[in-house]
Amino acid sequence: MFFHIVLERNMQLYPRRFGPNLRDKLVAKLMKDVEATCSGRHGLVVAITGVANIGKGLIRDGTGFVTFPVKYQFVVFRPFKGEILEAVVTMVNKMGFFAEAGPVQIFVSNHLIPDDMEFQSGDIPNYTTSDGSVKIQKESEVRLKIIGTRVDATEIFLDGSLSILGIGPFSKLVTLKRLIPLSCIAS
């Protein structure tokens, strides 16, 4: 889910920004350009954890810019199919619900919600069990399994499921934890 990666990137800086704080300016520009972005290859960049090396700058032909090779470490978030995530529900409708787990949004279709839960429209749309003991509505916390991922150049799309034993709203999980060891839930 979280990975620590080392990469190198060429950073361009205009000469008017040169001075005694050149390194700090390069690091600040790197953070602004890279953090909170999505790479189709690596995932969502959470934070830069360090700058290992800044090479000598080379003047680009025909421009005033100077290019510096910068080697840096960063943490990425990349969920995989089959992972179990805890998420907060952000929107509920008759087609299913959306939940957020950190920086990603997950869609859970109504076909992947347990059969004993039905959609209830009204002031606060929700999925409720037949006995009314458990509700999934906005701001509910759920544990779900990732069943599908799609990563493009700028975003990660996830599909989740609650139709697995031990997965679902936290109020329901409290009673299940006594019956099922966590090692059985993850498999």
Side-chain angles (χ1 to χ4, degrees):
M1 183 178 330
F2 289 98
F3 300 95
H4 199 237
I5 298 174
V6 177
L7 271 185
E8 190 167 321
R9 179 184 180 103
N10 289 326
M11 300 296 300
Q12 293 182 2
L13 205 59
Y14 197 68
R16 106 176 123 191
R17 306 212 51 207
F18 291 178
N21 299 326
L22 178 62
R23 179 180 169 82
D24 294 339
K25 289 177 182 174
L26 278 168
V27 171
K29 184 172 179 6
L30 177 69
M31 292 173 110
K32 181 181 176 228
D33 291 351
V34 174
E35 286 185 339
T37 61
C38 182
S39 159
R41 181 174 180 197
H42 300 294
L44 292 164
V45 178
V46 176
I48 293 175
T49 57
V51 175
N53 184 28
I54 298 177
K56 293 185 178 189
L58 297 172
I59 299 171
R60 287 188 55 198
D61 291 337
T63 68
F65 286 102
V66 177
T67 302
F68 294 89
V70 179
K71 191 173 187 178
Y72 62 102
Q73 304 96 17
F74 60 101
V75 175
V76 294
F77 175 73
R78 176 134 188 203
F80 290 95
K81 186 176 177 180
E83 279 189 272
I84 306 294
L85 295 179
E86 294 176 355
V88 177
V89 176
T90 57
M91 185 178 81
V92 178
N93 61 36
K94 66 181 178 180
M95 301 303 284
F97 66 86
F98 287 93
E100 289 181 352
V104 296
Q105 191 171 46
I106 305 157
F107 176 69
V108 178
S109 169
N110 62 357
H111 300 292
L112 298 171
I113 295 173
D115 293 334
D116 69 333
M117 299 189 89
E118 289 187 24
F119 178 71
Q120 306 291 323
S121 60
D123 293 340
I124 302 174
N126 62 72
Y127 283 89
T128 307
T129 55
S130 54
D131 64 358
S133 63
V134 178
K135 283 187 182 182
I136 297 175
Q137 60 189 19
K138 187 174 180 178
E139 303 298 324
S140 294
E141 295 177 348
V142 294
R143 182 172 292 145
L144 46 87
K145 184 172 186 174
I146 303 301
I147 60 165
T149 64
R150 184 171 57 90
V151 180
D152 69 12
T154 59
E155 209 170 347
I156 296 177
F157 302 94
L158 301 175
D159 293 317
S161 173
L162 295 180
S163 296
I164 301 161
L165 188 61
I167 306 293
F170 283 117
S171 58
K172 188 175 182 180
L173 290 176
V174 172
T175 59
L176 287 174
K177 282 183 185 176
R178 294 187 195 114
L179 303 173
I180 306 165
L182 190 56
S183 60
C184 294
I185 294 173
S187 58

